[in-house]
């Protein structure tokens, strides 16, 4: 049996494909290459370029390959973009997920893992959000993902598919072996932006908001290394095969946060470059702080993260960016 990875040519998806391939699983990738890159994929992995909302393409893929698991990454992921283009986000992230889940039901797919997000919580009152915390997304991005969780919960109850939603916190870093990482232009995520500034790929970076009610006035996020996130999916695959539950949802994060200033400090320290940081006002849709309670994933799925260090995430992100930009190998490695 095979695993279909949607968005498999993207940052997280390509790391997932590598891990599945390493584990000897049969993998098929579906990606429209709107942001993904074909060269992040191993040539031997079957690749279909297309849209996850295309019913006839999905029927063709499910008929051709014996797929028993779908891991669904394909989505638009930029919170401020979702504020200016909510309908685009609801179409891509919610409506098309509906088409994909419908195809899974039609073709009797047994297992489904969904990339959900910490953005489903919004401005949480609690210190560390756990899975039962209030769900009050403050961006269309968060809402677009939460609706998919609900579709999966109800579909699992009605049709017997077993589904797992992993709520990602802020994913960072790159494959420690240097095979894949965050790529592409127009980056908006903090660590990649700061790394690009450190490597001279942009003249400066901008810090959005220094007046939040946090320890240093800048937003706090729970950064998780992409390899640990992928390990959580592998635990999830095993869990779905044994679990009697139809639908489960877990946070995926370490349970501690770093501020924007702390991230910038780490990138400056590890790169050895004091790049320029401009200060601007708050960015639309940004909550002040999101930290996870990540205990349930460890307890129920046996997740054992092994890259729980902001500096390590930054080091791997720097190594990857240097490699992609054809810069000299990074000399501050440890
Ligand atoms: N951020 C920033 N400058 C940037 C990119 C991000 O100050 O160039 C801040 C952003 O406002 C937020 C935090 O870094 O407070 C994390 O943003 P990111 O886009 O990485 O992830 P998000 O939490 O929005 O998914």
């Amino acid at each position: 049996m095979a695993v279909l990875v949607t968005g498999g040519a993207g940052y997280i998806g390509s790391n997932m494909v590598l891990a599945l391939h390493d584990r000897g699983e049969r993998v098929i990738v579906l990606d429209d290459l709107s942001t993904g890159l074909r060269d992040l994929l191993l040539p031997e992995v079957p690749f279909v370029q297309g849209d996850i909302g295309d019913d006839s393409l999905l029927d063709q893929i499910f008929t051709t390959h014996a797929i028993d698991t779908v891991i669904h990454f394909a989505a638009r992921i930029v919170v401020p973009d979702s504020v200016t283009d909510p309908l685009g986000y609801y179409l891509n992230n919610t409506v098309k997920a509906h088409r994909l889940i419908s195809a899974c039901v039609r073709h009797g797919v047994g297992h489904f893992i969904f990339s959900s997000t910490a953005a489903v919580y919004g401005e949480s009152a609690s210190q560390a959000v756990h899975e039962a915390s209030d769900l009050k997304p403050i961006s269309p991005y968060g809402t677009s993902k939460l609706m998919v969780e609900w579709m999966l919960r109800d579909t699992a109850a009605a049709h017997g598919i077993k589904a797992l939603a992993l709520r990602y916190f802020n994913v960072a870093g790159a494959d420690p072996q240097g095979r894949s990482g965050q790529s592409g232009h127009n980056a908006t995520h903090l660590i990649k932006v700061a790394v690009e500034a450190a490597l001279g790929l942009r003249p400066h970076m901008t810090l959005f908001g220094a007046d939040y009610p946090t320890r240093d006035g800048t937003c706090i996020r729970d950064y998780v290394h992409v390899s640990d996130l992928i390990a959580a999916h592998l635990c999830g695959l095993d869990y779905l095969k044994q679990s009697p539950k139809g639908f489960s949802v877990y946070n995926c994060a370490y349970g501690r946060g770093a501020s924007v200033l702390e991230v910038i400090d780490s990138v400056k320290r590890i790169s050895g470059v004091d790049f320029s940081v401009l200060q601007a006002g708050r960015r639309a849709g940004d909550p002040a702080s999101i930290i996870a309670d990540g205990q349930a994933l460890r307890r129920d799925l046996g997740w054992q993260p092994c890259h729980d260090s902001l500096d390590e995430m930054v080091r791997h992100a720097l190594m990857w960016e240097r490699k992609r930009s054809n810069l000299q190998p990074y000399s501050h490695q440890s």
Side-chain angles (χ1 to χ4, degrees), residues 13-320:
S14 62
N15 276 282
M16 184 79 246
V17 172
L18 286 168
L20 290 167
H21 190 264
D22 289 350
R23 211 165 91 142
E25 306 268 0
R26 284 189 50 219
V27 192
I28 293 106
V29 170
L30 171 62
D31 196 302
D32 66 3
L33 298 184
S34 55
T35 55
L37 296 169
R38 181 73 179 89
D39 73 340
L40 294 180
L41 291 171
L42 300 168
E44 60 266 37
V45 171
F47 172 71
V48 178
Q49 181 171 357
D51 189 332
I52 56 155
D54 180 340
D55 289 338
S56 57
L57 177 64
L58 290 171
D59 284 339
Q60 193 188 321
I61 293 170
F62 285 116
T63 308
T64 310
H65 303 276
I67 293 165
D68 73 338
T69 302
V70 170
I71 308 183
H72 176 39
F73 294 99
R76 290 175 63 184
I77 58 162
V78 181
V79 170
D81 286 357
S82 78
V83 176
T84 53
D85 181 22
L87 293 175
Y89 271 70
Y90 290 127
L91 173 61
N92 269 281
N93 295 0
T94 314
V95 175
K96 290 185 181 180
H98 173 276
R99 305 315 311 148
L100 178 65
I101 297 166
S102 302
C104 289
V105 171
R106 253 190 335 273
H107 292 274
V109 171
H111 309 115
F112 195 104
I113 299 183
F114 171 57
S115 307
S116 190
T117 169
V120 299
Y121 295 112
E123 292 275 12
S124 175
S126 49
Q127 268 304 93
V129 286
H130 56 85
E131 288 78 0
S133 295
D134 287 349
L135 302 173
K136 293 181 183 164
I138 61 167
S139 65
Y141 169 67
T143 310
S144 73
K145 289 277 186 169
L146 182 56
M147 288 194 281
V148 180
E149 287 193 9
W150 289 338
M151 277 196 278
L152 283 172
R153 179 198 61 198
D154 298 343
T155 305
H159 297 289
I161 188 169
K162 287 202 259 177
L164 169 69
L166 292 174
R167 292 182 181 149
Y168 304 170
F169 283 61
N170 287 63
V171 187
D175 174 40
Q177 295 176 50
R179 297 172 296 174
S180 189
Q182 217 167 340
S183 305
H185 305 292
N186 309 321
T188 60
H189 289 299
L190 177 63
I191 292 186
K192 180 161 168 63
V193 167
V195 159
E196 288 177 3
L199 297 180
L201 300 170
R202 56 173 74 215
H204 52 73
M205 66 162 288
T206 305
L207 189 163
F208 298 119
D211 60 346
Y212 286 96
T214 59
R215 54 181 175 259
D216 61 16
T218 66
C219 290
I220 293 178
R221 297 287 183 272
D222 196 335
Y223 294 91
V224 59
H225 194 293
V226 65
S227 296
D228 281 336
L229 181 81
I230 296 307
H233 290 71
L234 296 177
C235 294
L237 281 176
D238 299 336
Y239 173 79
L240 282 182
K241 288 185 179 143
Q242 303 153 8
S243 168
K245 276 166 75 179
F247 174 74
S248 317
V249 58
Y250 289 96
N251 288 338
C252 189
Y254 299 133
R256 49 146 190 76
S259 73
V260 176
L261 283 174
E262 288 161 357
V263 169
I264 292 171
D265 173 66
S266 170
V267 176
K268 287 189 173 182
R269 195 162 26 77
I270 291 171
S271 66
V273 181
D274 185 15
F275 52 87
S276 158
V277 179
L278 309 182
Q279 198 152 313
R282 295 182 179 196
R283 202 176 63 169
D286 275 346
S289 174
I290 316 181
I291 299 174
D293 179 331
Q295 287 308 311
L297 185 63
R298 289 172 165 87
R299 187 190 62 227
D300 296 352
L301 274 70
W303 183 53
Q304 292 183 323
C306 41
H307 304 281
D308 178 1
S309 147
L310 177 62
D311 284 358
E312 185 176 344
M313 288 180 252
V314 166
R315 194 159 45 243
H316 288 154
L318 274 163
M319 281 167 49
W320 172 252

